[in-house]
Amino acid sequence: MVADSKTSAAAPTAAIRGPVLTFTGDPFKEGLEHTMVHESDAIVAFGGGKITHFGPANQIAQQLPPNLEVRSYGPDSLISAGFLDSHVHFPQTPMIAAFGAQLLDWLNIYTFPTEGKYSDKAFASGVAKVFLEECLRNGITTSCVYCTVFPQSVDALFEEAERLGMRIAAGKVLMNRNAPDYLLDTTQTGYDDSKMLIGKWHGRGRLMYAITPRFAPTSTPDQLESAGDLWNEHPDCYMQTHVSESRAEVAWVKELFPDRKGYLDVYDHYKLCRPRAVFGHGIHLDDSEMQCMHATGSAISHCPTSNFFLGSGHLNIKRAMLKDRPVRVGLGTDLGAGTSFSVLTTLNEAYKAAQLNNYALTAGCAYYFATRGTANAMYIDDKVGSIAPGMEADIVVLDMKSTPIIKYRMKSVKEFAEGLFVQMTMGDDRAVQATYIAGELRYSKPPR
Ligand code: GUN
Ligand code: ZN
């Protein structure tokens, strides 16, 4: 598809020019030919935090105020909506690449001791700063973030995200059993602290609260019920947790909740399956559980670098997204079990995960997945995830020749989709040239 020249009412205060890729719908359902927009020379203008104009440069140029400076990124760039990360643990930033363990041991050996440090607000603020800077360096403009059990870790993250003007969702981990004492809350303190944080942060600017029971094994039935009650009192918040990530975890949940039909049924029973529920992984869900995901409007966050790193398995995205009962699926880095902040690297691993199921994830579908698709999984595709007037101006600009070998490979590229695939296979943080948050330039790659 070719972009029509479009505008919205607000006055533009800045504009950028270059090739643009965006989506007007879901290519998994409607096909790329009906949903993918590639404009080889476009202008995107913004004002008041939103996109005001988008279309072919020669048309839009005539509609802009004559004194408005247009920053040109050139023909080797690619302007896209900012990337979204639907599952990430900011407190695990200092422990990425922890050797030698699978999920349950990895939690006990590395994760819990690290998360214990976040009772210290100054420490939490320092990590939040590094984490969000790294998101921006990788073109991630929205994330759905786990903090720790300590409310001050949530304050630390939201304070920094607010300073940057980012649209993020985050929440205090609820965890009242099967973890070290120093990390446990109780059903009552977990509820009270979460409710206090919702009052303080949810809907403040672009910030959104996510009620965050870590996963079924670390919450008593009583705490899961209380999380369901809290969500019922604040239905426009998110709820995030993990489900069916590793086989050992699935077996453990069976022992802990013998009355439930399966892992997802534990959450469904406590009214935690509905729109704005984001379930990390979902690798080992059976067909009836996928049906429940679909029927309740819940989403899976697909986190391939983490799944390969921990040896958890891999999500069959073709099966999850089947046409007769499609499940909303977003992309996640799942740091620190995930190994990279780079969304391009994460797409590379998503491609490999799909290959293991004999499914070739096209580059077009992959870029949809990392932008509008994840926004759709999070029910914010009316706000972010695509380039169109009225959308929030969260934008990433890629450099399509970011390394010598990519530059060399791009010489033999014959069509746009091929170049896009080269980027997601070979690209990483070096491909991110600039990141805009609500129209403000928040990251610009230093000159080489
Ligand atoms: N399951 C419960 N907690 C975690 C976590 O921190 N990371 C991952 N990958 N899985 C989990
Ligand atoms: Zn996780």
Side-chain angles (χ1 to χ4, degrees), residues 132 141-143 145 157-158 161 166-170 206-208:
L132 290 175
T141 51
T142 286
S143 309
V145 190
L157 184 73
F158 275 142
M166 293 176 81
R167 175 171 287 291
I168 66 162
R206 305 179 79 199
L207 305 176
M208 306 172 289

Side-chain angles (χ1 to χ4, degrees), residues 87 89 92 103-104 106-107 111-112 115 146 175 214-215 217-218 241-243 245 249 263 281 306-307 310 312 334-338:
H87 183 114
H89 301 255
Q92 296 172 14
L103 176 64
L104 301 177
W106 175 86
L107 284 171
T111 314
F112 292 151
E115 293 193 8
Y146 288 64
M175 178 155 68
R214 178 173 216 118
F215 67 155
T218 47
T241 188
H242 298 81
V243 73
E245 177 178 0
E249 170 207 17
Y263 195 160
H281 311 293
S306 163
N307 299 157
L310 291 181
S312 303
D334 192 27
L335 295 158

Side-chain angles (χ1 to χ4, degrees), residues 70-241:
V70 179
R71 182 192 292 248
S72 187
Y73 283 102
D76 292 334
S77 66
L78 185 67
I79 297 170
S80 158
F83 297 131
L84 286 90
D85 179 356
S86 58
H87 183 114
V88 61
H89 301 255
F90 102 81
Q92 296 172 14
T93 306
M95 53 157 282
I96 301 167
F99 174 76
Q102 298 213 344
L103 176 64
L104 301 177
D105 290 335
W106 175 86
L107 284 171
N108 286 316
I109 299 167
Y110 299 110
T111 314
F112 292 151
T114 302
E115 293 193 8
K117 297 179 186 167
Y118 290 77
S119 56
D120 177 350
K121 171 78 189 296
F123 179 78
S125 296
V127 179
K129 208 167 161 25
V130 172
F131 169 79
L132 290 175
E133 258 169 28
E134 202 58 24
C135 287
L136 295 174
R137 258 179 27 77
N138 284 278
I140 297 171
T141 51
T142 286
S143 309
C144 198
V145 190
Y146 288 64
C147 301
T148 67
V149 76
F150 304 109
Q152 53 271 42
S153 67
V154 182
D155 286 337
L157 184 73
F158 275 142
E159 282 164 11
E160 186 61 12
E162 184 174 56
R163 194 182 68 73
L164 294 165
M166 293 176 81
R167 175 171 287 291
I168 66 162
K172 178 205 118 65
V173 164
L174 296 167
M175 178 155 68
N176 69 352
R177 65 166 168 174
N178 290 323
D181 284 349
Y182 59 83
L183 275 182
L184 295 182
D185 55 15
T186 67
T187 298
Q188 192 61 49
T189 62
Y191 173 90
D192 291 346
D193 286 346
S194 302
K195 195 160 180 86
M196 177 274 291
L197 290 164
I198 291 169
K200 186 169 178 184
W201 293 109
H202 183 66
R204 178 160 148 180
R206 305 179 79 199
L207 305 176
M208 306 172 289
Y209 194 82
I211 297 164
T212 309
R214 178 173 216 118
F215 67 155
T218 47
S219 286
T220 57
D222 190 49
Q223 183 166 60
L224 293 175
E225 187 172 357
S226 144
D229 291 345
L230 182 62
W231 201 13
N232 203 29
E233 291 156 27
H234 301 279
D236 58 336
C237 287
Y238 287 91
M239 192 291 303
Q240 59 181 349
T241 188

Side-chain angles (χ1 to χ4, degrees), residues 376-393:
N376 175 259
M378 292 179 66
Y379 289 84
I380 44 175
D381 48 337
D382 58 335
K383 296 184 175 60
V384 294
S386 49
I387 295 193
M391 300 295 288
E392 295 172 4

